[in-house]
Amino acid sequence: MRVVGKAMLFDSPPVIAGSAGVAGKKESEGPLGSDFDETYQESLLGCESFELAEALMQQNCIMRACADAGAAAGDVQLIISGDLLDQCMASAFAVKGLAVPFAGVYGACSTMALSLALGCVIIDCGASCVACAASSHFCSSERQFRFPLEYGGQRPPTSQWTVTGAGCAVLKNAKAAADGVRITAALFGTVRDLGIKDANNMGAAMAPAAASTVYEFLKSTDTAAQDYDLILTGDLGFTGSELLYELMEKEHGVDIRGVHNDCGMMIFDREAQDVNSGGSGCGCSASVLCSHIIKKMRAGALKKVLFTATGALMSPTSSKQGQTIPGVAHAVLLEV
C-alpha cells in the first residue's frame, strides 16, 4: 500500500469475491427491487422486535455474500460491520452465532465505505478473507432517532426515508480470488460541520463532507471527475446532492453533475413512493452497492466507480442537547 496525498493506493488490490444486498418491502417496490438478492415483505421478519429483525437481516446478508464468494463462515478471518443502533446492536447480534472475529464500526450512513476501506487495509496487511457489511431498518432507526412510529409526525420536504436493508461484500486478497471487481484505492474522510441542527435535513449536514472527500480523492489521485463512469454518493438524497454540486463548483471549481448519482435517489421512486428527499440509513448505500452496482460492474456496464458513502454523526444525546450534526464521508475506488 502506498499513501499518496490523502489516498491509500493498493499495490495488490483486494477483490470483491462475493456480495449480497437485501431489502424490505418498500425498497422491493422501488426502481432497484429486482436487483436485490432477497427482499422481506414484513418488518419483523418473525422476530420479537425491529432491532432483532435488523440483526437477522444482516446475518442473512452476510451468509449470502459468503456463499457468493464460495466461502464458509469459518473461512472468514474478520467481519467488519455496523449499523445505526446504540452500540451497533444489530451487527453484534447478527454475528454472535457465527464464531468469527468481529469489529463493530460506526460511521452512520458512511459505514459501508468505512468497513470496506478498513477491510482493504487488513487484507493489505496479510489477511486473505474479510467480510464488510452494514445495515439499517426503518422502524428501529425511527424509534431511536426521531419519534415512535405511532406518533405520525409530518415529514418536511428535506427529510429522508430510512432504508430497511443490508449489504455485505466479501474481500479476498489477489492470490485467493479470481479477477473481478477490485478496490484499488481508499480515502478516509474528515469531519465537516455546516451547522445544521435539523435531523430532518441530513442531506445538507453531510454534503460538505462529501464535497471534501470527493475533491481530496481527485486531487490525491490526480484525476478528474470525467475519468470515472460513476461518482456514487450515499446517501445525500435530492436535497444534499444539489448542495454537493453547489459546494463542488463554488469551493473547488469541479462539476460532477454528469457522472454523479446518489444511492438515496436511486433506491426509491421519489414521487410514487412519497419519500420526500430520498433514502438514507447504513443499509441504503450498502444494499445498493452490494447488489445493483456490483452486478452492473460484473456485467461490464460500469468499470470505474468512486463510491463515497456519507454519514450524519448525530446521536440521540447530541440531538437532545441541541448540538449541530457533523458529517463525514469515506471513499473507495472500485474497478474492473
Side-chain angles (χ1 to χ4, degrees):
M1 180 178 72
R2 295 171 291 129
V3 177
V4 179
K6 294 185 178 180
M8 300 175 295
L9 310 182
F10 302 110
D11 296 318
S12 297
V15 176
I16 298 178
S19 68
V22 303
K25 182 177 186 296
K26 190 178 186 75
E27 294 71 21
S28 72
E29 297 168 346
L32 308 182
S34 62
D35 277 348
F36 296 121
D37 297 285
E38 185 174 6
T39 56
Y40 306 97
Q41 297 305 301
E42 57 97 14
S43 298
L44 283 171
L45 276 69
C47 299
E48 295 179 353
S49 70
F50 299 126
E51 291 77 13
L52 292 178
E54 182 179 344
L56 177 60
M57 180 176 62
Q58 186 185 134
Q59 182 186 82
N60 290 346
C61 187
I62 291 171
M63 299 309 296
R64 279 184 169 271
C66 287
D68 188 46
D75 299 326
V76 178
Q77 294 165 302
L78 178 67
I79 294 175
I80 306 172
S81 69
D83 54 80
L84 295 175
L85 304 181
D86 288 339
Q87 288 77 48
C88 292
M89 172 187 171
S91 299
F93 278 67
V95 304
K96 69 177 184 177
L98 301 181
V100 176
F102 167 65
V105 294
Y106 182 80
C109 300
S110 72
T111 297
M112 191 65 216
L114 175 60
S115 63
L116 283 171
L118 290 170
C120 288
V121 172
I122 292 169
I123 291 284
D124 192 75
C125 290
S128 60
C129 185
V130 175
C132 306
S135 68
S136 58
H137 192 297
F138 173 79
C139 298
S140 63
S141 297
E142 290 297 303
R143 177 153 62 189
Q144 176 168 293
F145 284 101
R146 295 182 182 88
F147 302 104
L149 297 179
E150 295 82 1
Y151 179 79
Q154 184 69 32
R155 292 171 172 269
T158 57
S159 68
Q160 293 170 250
W161 189 278
T162 304
V163 164
T164 298
C168 179
V170 176
L171 305 181
K172 290 187 178 182
N173 63 31
K175 294 180 181 179
D179 292 338
V181 179
R182 298 168 297 131
I183 299 180
T184 58
L187 187 146
F188 293 106
T190 57
V191 175
R192 297 285 304 276
D193 194 338
L194 193 63
I196 302 294
K197 293 186 176 182
D198 183 3
N200 282 306
N201 193 7
M202 293 187 298
M206 297 184 289
S212 174
T213 295
V214 171
Y215 173 72
E216 290 296 342
F217 191 92
L218 298 178
K219 179 182 176 182
S220 296
T221 56
D222 193 24
T223 56
Q226 290 68 35
D227 294 330
Y228 301 88
D229 296 320
L230 176 64
I231 294 177
L232 180 69
T233 53
D235 22 83
L236 299 175
F238 291 90
T239 302
S241 293
E242 285 299 322
L243 181 56
L244 171 65
Y245 302 149
E246 181 181 331
L247 291 171
M248 289 295 294
E249 293 174 2
K250 183 178 180 180
E251 296 183 357
H252 307 301
V254 177
D255 182 3
I256 65 170
R257 290 177 185 267
V259 295
H260 172 264
N261 208 336
D262 182 82
C263 298
M265 298 193 297
M266 296 166 66
I267 197 166
F268 293 124
D269 183 322
R270 185 184 189 184
E271 301 300 327
Q273 294 187 280
D274 190 26
V275 292
N276 294 12
S277 190
S280 67
C282 298
C284 181
S285 62
S287 61
V288 172
L289 176 75
C290 294
S291 60
H292 177 71
I293 297 298
I294 289 180
K295 286 175 180 177
K296 291 194 73 171
M297 296 192 75
R298 287 175 173 174
L302 293 170
K303 295 185 177 181
K304 194 171 185 178
V305 176
L306 179 60
F307 173 58
T308 308
T310 58
L313 301 178
M314 65 179 185
S315 73
T317 299
S318 65
S319 295
K320 290 173 183 175
Q321 291 178 353
Q323 300 296 326
T324 57
I325 304 174
V328 71
H330 307 293
V332 291
L333 177 59
L334 283 68
E335 296 189 75
V336 292

